[in-house]
Amino acid sequence: MDKEQQQRILDFLKISFNSDDTIHILAVAAMEHEKLERHQPLILKLRVALTFHEDQSINPYFDGTDMYVLLTPTEIQFAREEEWADGPPIMEGSPIELALGWVSQLNVPFYVSTEAHEAAHKERG
């Protein structure tokens, strides 16, 4: 996945989850889940950790889940929603110090917020 695709995914997540500017994305990793055919849509599994803005800072706890998106050269949309959209997140109310490590279990994150990076390093001591 190239940088342009990564940015498109990040922009899509921000539009989808942060319409009122209260959500803060901590980290995102992606893994190719299914490629239908060469030059055809790609289904990616995403692992997303997010939290809420509170005044000038962010909440010290995060929620996170795995989800799927369908990526084409011109579009991006959620996929396989029946597998992830309903129900509680996989990670719920966990300290943000753990967000980067949890997202990294899927793949090397292509996006890590400054806050997630700093919290992970503080956790390591």
Side-chain angles (χ1 to χ4, degrees), residues 30-79:
M31 182 175 72
E32 189 172 302
H33 184 72
E34 185 178 333
K35 192 167 190 171
L36 305 176
E37 289 181 35
R38 187 166 168 77
H39 304 298
Q40 293 296 316
L42 174 65
I43 295 178
L44 296 169
K45 180 178 185 176
L46 303 180
R47 180 162 283 183
V48 180
L50 50 83
T51 192
F52 294 93
H53 286 284
E54 293 182 344
D55 298 320
Q56 298 293 75
S57 61
I58 62 168
N59 186 302
Y61 301 99
F62 82 96
D63 293 343
T65 201
D66 294 342
M67 62 187 68
Y68 297 90
V69 294
L70 178 71
L71 185 65
T72 72
T74 58
E75 292 183 70
I76 185 169
Q77 64 187 39
F78 290 118

